[in-house]
Amino acid sequence: MNGPVAQEGAEKVRVLVVDDQDLVREGIAALLGIQPGIEVVGSARDGGEAVDLAGRWHPDVVLMDVRMPGMDGVAATALLRRQLPGCRIVMLTTFNDDEYVGRALRAGAVGYLLKNLPAADLAQAVRLAHAGVAQFDQTVLAALAAGTPAPDLLTPRETEVLRLISAGATNREIAARLYLSEGTVKNHISRVLGRLGLRDRTQAALYARDNGLV
């Protein structure tokens, strides 16, 4: 997995691990804890405990399982996004069902990864999520591209940006149309491409056309 690596002496990314299986949770926490640039601040057994502990420790990134007894990962994600808007939540699960993916993203998750990731790749995904880069397993991206409509993945503003991209508008034209700065437009475009698993504006325009947005 390519991307920025932790700089020596840089502030570590604080992570909360949430999983109902003790062995899995403790294993993930132990593996992440020895990766450069990562500090595991704690772990939780379910969504309710995750919300409580996150409010106490203010992690930068939460690795959240989807299916858990009591409060599941999707409900916990929605609560955390309201209570700690600066916290990035990445779903880490064995389930890549389209319905789970869509629900998690609508709740505010910035990524959806499967538990078969090597520890170094998971650590890099955590760093990238903290930097605002959406993270998705390749099989999840394939499922999204095959059948999940863009409005389920994007915010209303990102959907507007996607529509204008498909109409051939430049960043400056999009900025003028939506009363945004060009820097903000660039950030929106990066999130659109990341969330949809697309490489460039051309693919974004094709995606918008194929999903009935133009």
Side-chain angles (χ1 to χ4, degrees):
M1 184 177 295
N2 296 322
V5 296
Q7 299 293 321
E8 187 175 353
E11 186 174 348
K12 292 185 176 182
V13 180
R14 294 162 50 82
V15 180
L16 175 66
V17 179
V18 186
D19 197 291
D20 64 316
Q21 297 184 43
D22 292 347
L23 186 61
V24 172
R25 183 180 66 254
E26 292 166 6
I28 292 171
L31 289 171
L32 276 180
I34 61 175
Q35 297 297 317
I38 305 291
E39 178 187 359
V40 177
V41 296
S43 63
R45 294 180 176 86
D46 57 39
E49 188 178 13
V51 172
D52 178 58
L53 295 182
R56 192 182 312 168
W57 293 329
H58 292 260
D60 300 309
V61 176
V62 175
L63 291 177
M64 181 82 73
D65 195 9
V66 175
R67 291 179 59 178
M68 294 179 288
M71 183 185 294
D72 68 13
V74 174
T77 294
L79 275 176
L80 284 174
R81 289 297 297 148
R82 290 195 293 270
Q83 295 177 11
L84 298 171
C87 179
R88 309 287 186 176
I89 303 169
V90 177
M91 313 311 287
L92 184 64
T93 180
T94 57
F95 302 96
N96 64 348
D97 183 272
D98 290 358
E99 179 182 352
Y100 286 125
V101 178
R103 287 177 58 215
L105 294 177
R106 287 192 292 274
V110 298
Y112 200 104
L113 301 172
L114 301 184
K115 290 178 182 175
N116 58 3
L117 269 182
D121 286 356
L122 180 57
Q124 184 71 324
V126 165
R127 299 184 198 104
L128 290 169
H130 179 49
V133 181
Q135 297 294 295
F136 294 95
D137 183 91
Q138 290 302 310
T139 61
V140 172
L141 285 177
L144 293 178
T148 306
D152 284 345
L153 303 178
L154 306 178
T155 66
R157 177 65 81 190
E158 289 164 355
T159 301
E160 286 183 280
V161 170
L162 177 57
R163 287 195 175 105
L164 291 171
I165 289 173
S166 69
T170 65
N171 287 3
R172 179 173 296 180
E173 290 167 340
I174 295 172
R177 178 74 174 271
L178 300 180
Y179 303 102
L180 302 171
S181 69
E182 287 191 56
T184 299
V185 170
K186 289 179 182 178
N187 289 337
H188 280 311
I189 292 173
S190 294
R191 286 195 291 271
V192 167
L193 297 179
R195 289 187 177 185
L196 299 180
L198 305 173
R199 289 192 303 270
D200 52 35
R201 298 171 77 103
T202 299
Q203 284 197 345
L206 292 173
Y207 188 101
R209 183 199 65 189
D210 292 344
N211 285 276
L213 295 178
V214 292

